[in-house]
Amino acid sequence: MRIAIDAMGGDHAPKEIVQGAMDAVNEMEDLQITLVGDEAQINPLLTNQKNIEILHTTEMITSEDEPVRAVRKKKNASMVRMAQEVKEGRADACISAGNTGALMSAGLFIVGRIEGIDRPALSPTLPTLDGKGFLLLDVGANVDAKPHHLVQYAVMGSIYAEKVRHIPSPTVGLLNVGTEDGKGNDLTKKVFAKLQEAPLNFIGNVEARDILNGAADVVVTDGFSGNIALKSIEGTALTMFSMLKEAFMGSFKTKLAAGMIKNDLKGLKTKLDYSEYGGAGLFGLCAPVIKAHGSSNARAIVNAIKQARNMAAMHVTDTIKEKLETMNDKGGQ
Amino acid sequence: MRIAIDAMGGDHAPKEIVQGAMDAVNEMEDLQITLVGDEAQINPLLTNQKNIEILHTTEMITSEDEPVRAVRKKKNASMVRMAQEVKEGRADACISAGNTGALMSAGLFIVGRIEGIDRPALSPTLPTLDGKGFLLLDVGANVDAKPHHLVQYAVMGSIYAEKVRHIPSPTVGLLNVGTEDGKGNDLTKKVFAKLQEAPLNFIGNVEARDILNGAADVVVTDGFSGNIALKSIEGTALTMFSMLKEAFMGSFKTKLAAGMIKNDLKGLKTKLDYSEYGGAGLFGLCAPVIKAHGSSNARAIVNAIKQARNMAAMHVTDTIKEKLETMNDKGGQ
């Protein structure tokens, strides 16, 4: 098993990426890693080269680059070379913490789509109160989704939840403005009918208010609404942490109290930290492609590596392909 | 100035509604209130009848009722009679904490739309870190919105922010998946172009992550995405409060710490409590119609009454009508 990693992508690259790679090969015996990026920057950080190779390139895609154009023009960028390692069969999966749009383009144009999948979906796993987590997809790969795209998301999400997250017969919910059947806009009404007929554990509509309570294992939505949900959740959590911090710094008494519960609050932050579940998978491509969070530290990279390895080891891509073929044979799509 | 209030709508009706009405007339000299509902239940609670009349009816719309049908069939429901008071000119504005869908139907079918407004918008004011708050619309009155609907939301929201919230030249942002121009789905791309040409202080796209930081005074979106954003924010805040509570109950030490910062945490809860800004306005109707939160207490009702009074006193409805006429004359829509 070999995983290609963009060593130059993310806010803390290459340091945390290289550290994460070294930690991962230490933990996982069967793992080989190709770090794609600038040798001159990677080498001094690579204190243990066991099972790690460097694929040298100095070109990079930055967060300011226009995604599609960058992937087309910067043929030697670390992210592009990383995707080519997968495309040409030298790696089984790849990971980048860099420009999300560029990774989606690299995934689409270089790694390529699974036959039958019209649009890949970006799929983070978000935390729930009970610590189980849920998969939300799509969060922005495809902002003008058609009904059958969402059915494909449901199929891909279910397979991932079952194979990688070990949830038997995962529940699938459709993100909507109310829980009753028949609720929603034109898109969700059409999707609802299709999901009822699909070979899935579809439990109906779920509301954004309930998804952090674990309303469903897989929550399906179009890329626009999913992006709004994800960023609303992130923004609210960050705002509340800011407010908490402010409240705690108010007086000597509150500072004292804050000191007493510091560890418990850290636990809360960890519970909300979705890098614990790995990065966001780009589902529907010919091999696992993982978008690690831009602010990933070594630990987040290790989690993303585990996730990519499990996706490859559990043959998630092949299973999706087979499931789609069965559904097409039955006219079930 | 007379405001009609559905005394029977909401989780704490009629008790908190009646109390809120009494508090409001005490505070506001020029205010008269018509409480619509069951005399037998209202009278024992009405310890001060100054400037308060009861319009007796025993029929009610419940939260389980199908909205459109309930408004059509239950001709004597408190909510329907309340809307008729406005329609027939006996009240200047109305408020209900009951079934949201039914209130939208009553607003649309009984109070009626402003000429030129195709779809009303449900518009809560949400809290920001700096305490200033922002208006989000639409959060679900119209889940299949067309581009020109969102332009009308922007106009109505700006007028409300300026007249009632006293924000000079309020900034208008379009909720989107990224801040750059050209981002988004088919709908937002079309809306973006129209908003650039409209007589508004349009500042471009805003992300859901930034709206609680006060990215814009008025955030415009379609009813589906707005509903997802609103409920994601609510759900995250509730989840975090649950987690905090759990963390605080973990040990003797944390319980002690929790006791020490109890008041500061209450402050945080108040800061996030958007009933402080009144209810959600149903903009685009011939008179102010306010949806108070289902869990409204007397204080939330007082805030909703203030809001309705200010909307009526500042002639928000007429101003919207005039602005639309000017825009139509100029072909600006």
Side-chain angles (χ1 to χ4, degrees):
Chain A
M1 167 86 57
R2 179 173 288 276
I3 294 174
I5 305 178
D6 174 8
M8 314 312 283
D11 306 340
H12 309 298
K15 187 168 176 288
E16 297 290 326
I17 316 290
V18 175
Q19 186 60 51
M22 290 190 295
D23 294 349
V25 289
N26 251 345
E27 248 183 72
M28 295 167 253
E29 280 293 319
D30 60 337
L31 185 68
Q32 314 246 27
I33 287 178
T34 304
L35 285 172
V36 188
D38 184 3
E39 229 168 28
Q41 291 185 61
I42 297 170
N43 261 329
L45 301 164
L46 198 62
T47 50
N48 184 350
Q49 302 193 10
K50 181 196 142 200
N51 288 345
I52 299 185
E53 274 178 22
I54 300 176
L55 176 64
H56 174 67
T57 183
T58 53
E59 201 169 17
M60 267 187 272
I61 291 176
T62 68
S63 57
E64 279 74 41
D65 276 322
E66 198 283 311
V68 178
R69 191 189 310 168
V71 170
R72 289 217 171 117
K73 299 263 166 177
K74 292 185 165 180
K75 300 234 180 279
N76 278 310
S78 55
M79 190 192 281
V80 172
R81 296 289 297 275
M82 169 200 81
Q84 266 155 356
E85 289 301 292
V86 176
K87 166 79 175 171
E88 288 157 20
R90 290 186 296 275
D92 303 292
C94 62
I95 299 165
S96 175
N99 185 320
T100 307
L103 184 62
M104 293 194 288
S105 296
L108 204 53
F109 300 133
I110 302 170
V111 178
R113 277 178 292 133
I114 294 175
E115 211 190 300
I117 291 287
D118 295 319
R119 299 295 193 109
L122 191 61
S123 320
T125 301
L126 300 186
T128 52
L129 261 181
D130 62 7
K132 200 177 163 199
F134 72 99
L135 193 71
L136 178 66
L137 74 171
D138 168 36
V139 300
N142 174 21
V143 292
D144 284 302
K146 302 271 176 291
H148 74 279
H149 296 154
L150 272 76
V151 178
Q152 294 187 339
Y153 302 166
V155 170
M156 297 192 290
S158 290
I159 290 170
Y160 177 84
E162 194 166 339
K163 295 265 174 184
V164 179
R165 309 204 65 237
H166 309 295
I167 299 168
S169 187
T171 53
V172 175
L174 175 63
L175 188 64
N176 213 328
V177 298
T179 54
E180 305 89 340
D181 295 8
K183 274 270 175 181
N185 58 8
D186 190 48
L187 177 68
T188 59
K189 283 176 190 166
K190 284 178 181 155
V191 174
F192 190 95
K194 281 176 186 281
L195 286 175
Q196 279 186 310
E197 285 165 17
L200 296 161
N201 185 6
F202 178 53
I203 56 160
N205 294 320
V206 294
E207 282 196 89
R209 193 186 279 140
D210 303 320
I211 56 182
L212 295 183
N213 282 331
D217 298 316
V218 178
V219 174
V220 172
T221 186
D222 68 283
F224 190 88
S225 305
N227 193 277
I228 300 293
L230 177 68
K231 289 183 183 162
S232 297
I233 292 168
E234 283 181 355
T236 309
L238 286 173
T239 300
M240 283 188 68
F241 275 118
S242 295
M243 284 179 170
L244 264 180
K245 212 171 166 183
E246 215 175 90
F248 282 137
M249 289 297 135
S251 67
F252 175 72
K253 195 176 75 176
T254 56
K255 278 183 201 168
L256 189 69
M260 290 165 70
I261 50 163
K262 214 170 146 185
N263 286 329
D264 304 83
L265 285 180
K266 254 191 205 146
L268 195 146
K269 230 174 172 165
T270 310
K271 222 172 178 177
L272 284 169
D273 176 13
Y274 57 90
S275 73
E276 288 294 312
Y277 301 100
L282 199 52
F283 294 169
L285 300 176
C286 293
V289 176
I290 305 292
K291 169 65 180 77
H293 205 279
S295 61
S296 289
N297 57 15
R299 188 181 164 78
I301 295 297
V302 170
N303 288 329
I305 292 171
K306 274 188 199 162
Q307 179 189 19
R309 188 191 65 154
N310 291 345
M311 281 183 77
M314 298 305 289
H315 308 288
V316 168
T317 306
D318 289 339
T319 313
I320 291 173
K321 214 183 292 182
E322 287 156 20
K323 184 89 174 188
L324 286 177
E325 280 163 11
T326 333
M327 284 173 69
N328 280 334
D329 287 349
K330 289 189 184 154
Q333 258 198 91
Chain B
M1 166 87 56
R2 179 173 289 276
I3 295 174
I5 305 177
D6 173 9
M8 313 313 282
D11 305 340
H12 309 299
K15 186 166 175 287
E16 297 290 325
I17 316 290
V18 174
Q19 186 59 52
M22 289 190 295
D23 294 349
V25 289
N26 252 344
E27 250 184 71
M28 294 166 253
E29 280 294 319
D30 60 336
L31 184 68
Q32 313 246 26
I33 287 177
T34 304
L35 285 173
V36 188
D38 184 2
E39 228 166 29
Q41 290 185 61
I42 297 171
N43 260 330
L45 302 163
L46 198 63
T47 51
N48 184 350
Q49 301 191 12
K50 181 196 142 201
N51 289 344
I52 300 184
E53 274 177 22
I54 301 175
L55 177 64
H56 175 67
T57 182
T58 53
E59 201 170 19
M60 268 188 273
I61 291 176
T62 69
S63 58
E64 279 73 41
D65 275 323
E66 198 283 309
V68 178
R69 191 188 311 166
V71 169
R72 289 219 173 115
K73 299 261 166 181
K74 293 185 163 180
K75 299 233 179 279
N76 278 310
S78 55
M79 190 192 280
V80 172
R81 295 289 298 274
M82 170 199 81
Q84 266 155 356
E85 288 301 291
V86 175
K87 166 80 176 170
E88 289 159 20
R90 289 185 296 274
D92 302 291
C94 62
I95 299 165
S96 175
N99 186 322
T100 307
L103 184 62
M104 294 195 287
S105 295
L108 203 53
F109 300 133
I110 302 169
V111 177
R113 279 178 291 133
I114 294 176
E115 210 190 302
I117 291 286
D118 295 321
R119 299 295 194 107
L122 192 61
S123 321
T125 300
L126 300 185
T128 52
L129 260 182
D130 63 7
K132 200 178 161 197
F134 72 99
L135 193 72
L136 178 66
L137 75 171
D138 168 36
V139 301
N142 174 20
V143 291
D144 284 303
K146 301 273 176 290
H148 75 278
H149 296 153
L150 273 75
V151 178
Q152 295 186 339
Y153 301 167
V155 169
M156 296 193 290
S158 290
I159 290 170
Y160 178 83
E162 195 167 335
K163 295 265 174 185
V164 179
R165 307 204 67 238
H166 310 296
I167 300 168
S169 187
T171 53
V172 175
L174 175 63
L175 189 64
N176 212 328
V177 298
T179 55
E180 306 89 339
D181 295 7
K183 275 271 174 178
N185 59 7
D186 191 46
L187 176 68
T188 60
K189 284 177 190 165
K190 284 180 181 154
V191 175
F192 190 95
K194 281 177 186 280
L195 285 176
Q196 279 186 310
E197 285 165 16
L200 295 161
N201 185 7
F202 178 53
I203 56 161
N205 294 320
V206 294
E207 283 196 87
R209 193 186 279 140
D210 303 320
I211 55 181
L212 296 183
N213 283 330
D217 299 315
V218 178
V219 175
V220 173
T221 185
D222 68 282
F224 190 87
S225 305
N227 192 277
I228 300 293
L230 177 69
K231 288 181 184 161
S232 297
I233 292 169
E234 284 181 354
T236 309
L238 287 173
T239 301
M240 283 189 67
F241 275 117
S242 296
M243 285 178 169
L244 264 179
K245 210 170 169 184
E246 215 175 89
F248 281 135
M249 290 297 134
S251 67
F252 175 72
K253 195 176 74 173
T254 56
K255 278 183 202 166
L256 189 68
M260 288 165 70
I261 52 161
K262 214 170 148 186
N263 286 329
D264 304 84
L265 285 179
K266 255 190 203 148
L268 197 147
K269 231 174 172 166
T270 310
K271 223 172 176 175
L272 284 168
D273 176 12
Y274 57 88
S275 74
E276 287 295 312
Y277 302 100
L282 200 52
F283 294 168
L285 300 176
C286 293
V289 176
I290 305 292
K291 169 65 179 77
H293 205 281
S295 62
S296 288
N297 57 16
R299 187 181 164 78
I301 294 298
V302 171
N303 288 327
I305 292 171
K306 274 186 199 164
Q307 179 189 19
R309 188 192 64 154
N310 291 345
M311 281 183 77
M314 299 302 292
H315 307 289
V316 168
T317 306
D318 290 338
T319 312
I320 291 173
K321 214 183 292 181
E322 285 156 22
K323 184 90 171 186
L324 286 177
E325 281 164 11
T326 333
M327 285 173 70
N328 280 335
D329 287 347
K330 290 189 185 154
Q333 259 196 87

